[in-house]
Amino acid sequence: KNEVEQSPQNLTAQEGEFITINCSYSVGISALHWLQQHPGGGIVSLFMLSSGKKKHGRLIATINIQEKHSSLHITASHPRDSAVYICAVRSGVGGGADGLTFGKGTHLIIQP
Amino acid sequence: DGGITQSPKYLFRKEGQNVTLSCEQNLNHDAMYWYRQDPGQGLRLIYYSQIVNDFQKGDIAEGYSVSREKKESFPLTVTSAQKNPTAFYLCASSLQPVSSSYEQYFGPGTRLTVT
């Protein structure tokens, strides 16, 4: 079974700080997703990556396949970035019936 | 605007009653999914459908049923057999199922409370 661990579970930071959220998994994957869940519950897909690095605005996602690790970075953080960030991995081994295993999420609060 | 709609946002039911959660998408996606989210846990797959008139059990299908009569619609029924139905339910869709190449799009969710 693919275990997905996110750290930290909770993170409170001041506006403008550089934020890093980590995701580690135990079994080789074909893709990794970073999702953002707003306080109301809706989920938005931020990134899907299988290697290297992707950037969108102030968000950067990296993945190291050999180390089975991914990071999500937020530069110049803002209170509107406050949300739960979820890592999900897709693999052929031990995932859910749809191949996905979700982490428990990192609850981020950015204070003004 | 293309997207996924779920209704209602909040739903309250008495124990012993069946309840149906709605999920509609206008993204022309073939695959649709139902997930359950509980506090402190990752999303868990209830059912998924790869094509109209076909659906597969996910990891926690007991006490739930689905139908896929139209491409746009994938309603989930929470039956009285589901022992702990109170949860947040999320519907999702993707262009192709079980593939590394396609992102999933999520609806806004329905929070079901059964008392």
Side-chain angles (χ1 to χ4, degrees):
Chain A
K1 181 175 164 64
N2 208 347
E3 303 287 340
V4 178
E5 296 289 335
Q6 287 187 235
S7 63
Q9 284 187 312
N10 298 284
L11 177 58
T12 300
Q14 294 298 121
E15 183 173 356
E17 285 189 38
F18 182 81
I19 303 299
T20 296
I21 298 170
N22 298 298
C23 175
S24 297
Y25 50 91
S26 57
V27 177
I29 63 169
S30 57
L32 182 143
H33 301 253
W34 280 105
L35 310 169
Q36 180 190 55
Q37 185 168 30
H38 296 289
I43 290 180
V44 173
S45 176
L46 298 174
F47 295 104
M48 182 178 66
L49 63 166
S50 54
S51 65
K53 175 179 172 178
K54 286 190 176 180
K55 184 175 189 293
H56 184 217
R58 295 179 294 105
L59 301 177
I60 304 165
T62 64
I63 188 168
N64 185 319
I65 297 296
Q66 285 73 30
E67 294 186 4
K68 296 186 177 61
H69 180 268
S70 174
S71 292
L72 176 68
H73 305 286
I74 305 174
T75 62
S77 60
H78 189 276
R80 65 174 173 265
D81 297 325
S82 299
V84 176
Y85 292 84
I86 299 170
C87 171
V89 300
R90 185 179 295 284
S91 66
V93 178
D98 62 346
L100 279 176
T101 304
F102 292 84
K104 295 179 181 178
T106 293
H107 189 192
L108 174 66
I109 296 173
I110 304 296
Q111 295 178 333
Chain B
D1 281 293
I4 302 177
T5 56
Q6 290 185 243
S7 60
K9 189 161 179 63
Y10 299 96
L11 192 51
F12 298 89
R13 279 294 182 271
K14 295 286 187 188
E15 194 174 320
Q17 292 179 333
N18 290 355
V19 58
T20 297
L21 281 58
S22 165
C23 177
E24 304 278 332
Q25 55 99 359
N26 61 2
L27 299 166
N28 200 33
H29 284 172
D30 286 315
M32 296 186 74
Y33 313 78
W34 274 105
Y35 294 96
R36 171 184 172 136
Q37 187 178 39
D38 294 283
Q41 294 195 40
L43 274 68
R44 292 182 291 168
L45 181 67
I46 303 172
Y47 266 99
Y48 68 102
S49 168
Q50 302 191 49
I51 199 166
V52 174
N53 293 323
D54 180 66
F55 48 83
Q56 308 293 330
K57 289 183 179 180
D59 304 304
I60 54 166
E62 186 176 345
Y64 299 98
S65 66
V66 293
S67 63
R68 187 86 187 277
E69 296 176 3
K70 298 187 298 183
K71 189 175 186 177
E72 304 80 24
S73 179
F74 191 40
L76 173 75
T77 297
V78 184
T79 75
S80 56
Q82 168 49 232
K83 291 186 172 56
N84 297 296
T86 295
F88 188 61
Y89 291 88
L90 282 154
C91 179
S93 72
S94 64
L95 189 60
Q96 292 282 329
V98 197
S99 162
S100 63
S101 304
Y102 297 98
E103 293 185 45
Q104 281 189 319
Y105 293 78
F106 287 84
T110 292
R111 190 167 299 279
L112 173 65
T113 302
V114 176
T115 57

